Amino acid sequence: MDWDDLRVFLAVARAESLSAAARVLKCDAATVGRRVARLEEDLGAKLFLKSPQGYRLTEPGRRLIPHAETAEQAMSGAAEELSGQTGGLSGQIRIGAPDGCANYVLPQVCGAICDANPGLEIQILALPRMVNLSKREADFAITVSRPTGGRLTVQKLADYALHLAGDRTYLATHPPIAALADLRGHRMIGYIPDMIFDRELDYLAETGAPTVDLASNSVAVQMQMVRAGAGLGIVHDFAIPACPDVVRVLPEAIALRRTFWLVRHADDRRSERLTRFAEAFAQATRTEIARLETLAAGQ
């Protein structure tokens, strides 16, 4: 059995289509199809069924997955050892993150880590949903709720603060806000209610603030709405320094605290490279969030 065929098999199983797997593998879909057919012939078993939804694993295909992943880990470990990765980090690492963290924290963090490790390539996957690690969409995922199921390794990344905020010009040209009751005269910005993918993101329900009048599934878009003077919104403190005219409103009455969790596939705990990256990434993220929140408190 050829390892390269197993690698192609895993890509198709995770992407659920030949074309998507081909993009990951940087080859054409016809080549992917031929490699899968060759592996099926070698094993004497059908590994996929083609359906309108894509390529679905058969029972033999499902049984092959853990063996293929074990081979993947062994090859990765061998590559790390042979490349002598005892000093700097190298290779490609992909991180899936909520778009608020991806926009306002990770650029600085990942830039600093790359500066210290010139051979390292970091990709940031910013999505308003959970990242699927079992399909290998990313090496790491940052979540706002601690996962409780699946074959995952979870570590606390950092706590972070959120406050109600508004643009200075907006606040100067609209009715004053001295208490929670005063918010009813203001437009509220937040998530599209039926697109909140994690209960930890349901900020306004927790604060008792009025319903959302202007909404987006993107934290970055919400922040730009606040910055444009379109209304008030619950924003990450670490995003405020990027918008100098945005200030906190009723900071004592509306103050939320959340936690980011760093998650990876359980099999990856054997990778020294990913473990060393996780340690450097966690420390740098905590430091950057603390720095940005200190700046926000002073605005």
Side-chain angles (χ1 to χ4, degrees), residues 9-248:
F9 162 73
L10 283 173
V12 176
R14 291 162 180 167
E16 298 181 342
S17 82
L18 296 185
S19 57
R23 287 193 294 272
V24 172
L25 296 167
K26 296 181 173 59
C27 64
D28 60 85
T31 299
V32 173
R34 287 195 298 270
R35 301 295 285 277
V36 169
R38 185 171 76 180
L39 182 60
E40 289 178 329
E41 183 178 352
D42 288 347
L43 295 174
K46 193 75 173 173
L47 301 175
F48 296 99
L49 290 176
K50 188 175 182 180
S51 72
Q53 289 72 42
Y55 277 67
R56 181 167 53 88
L57 285 167
T58 62
E59 181 55 33
R62 284 191 289 272
R63 292 202 304 269
L64 181 59
I65 284 287
H67 301 289
E69 289 184 335
T70 297
E72 181 182 50
Q73 289 298 318
M75 293 299 292
S76 176
E80 288 180 19
E81 184 172 340
L82 291 174
S83 64
Q85 290 179 357
T86 56
L89 293 163
S90 62
Q92 182 185 99
I93 292 177
R94 178 179 291 179
I95 307 165
D99 72 324
C101 180
N103 274 278
Y104 299 107
V105 178
L106 296 196
Q108 306 90 281
V109 169
C110 294
I113 293 176
C114 282
D115 285 345
N117 299 274
L120 183 63
E121 175 190 341
I122 301 177
Q123 298 179 346
I124 300 172
L125 184 63
L127 292 174
R129 63 168 174 83
M130 299 292 188
V131 173
N132 193 324
L133 291 177
S134 66
K135 291 185 178 181
R136 298 294 178 168
E137 286 187 331
D139 299 295
F140 293 92
I142 297 174
T143 67
V144 291
S145 285
R146 180 169 189 157
T148 57
R151 298 179 60 248
L152 302 170
T153 298
V154 183
Q155 71 181 82
K156 183 176 179 179
L157 185 56
D159 292 325
Y160 61 97
L162 304 104
H163 286 86
L164 184 68
D167 178 77
R168 295 181 193 274
T169 301
Y170 172 90
L171 295 171
T173 56
H174 287 75
I177 304 169
L180 287 173
D182 297 329
L183 295 178
R184 301 203 174 274
H186 294 266
R187 181 187 295 128
M188 300 304 297
I189 296 166
Y191 278 100
I192 300 171
D194 61 355
M195 297 190 75
I196 296 176
F197 65 89
D198 191 300
R199 59 182 175 79
E200 294 289 342
L201 302 178
D202 195 4
Y203 307 135
L204 293 180
E206 182 174 329
T207 62
T211 56
V212 173
D213 305 296
L214 195 55
S216 173
N217 67 328
S218 165
V219 167
V221 172
Q222 292 174 36
M223 187 57 162
Q224 291 306 313
M225 290 175 176
V226 172
R227 187 180 189 182
L232 305 174
I234 300 291
V235 305
H236 300 78
D237 279 23
F238 58 64
I240 292 177
C243 305
D245 289 326
V246 172
V247 295
R248 301 189 302 181

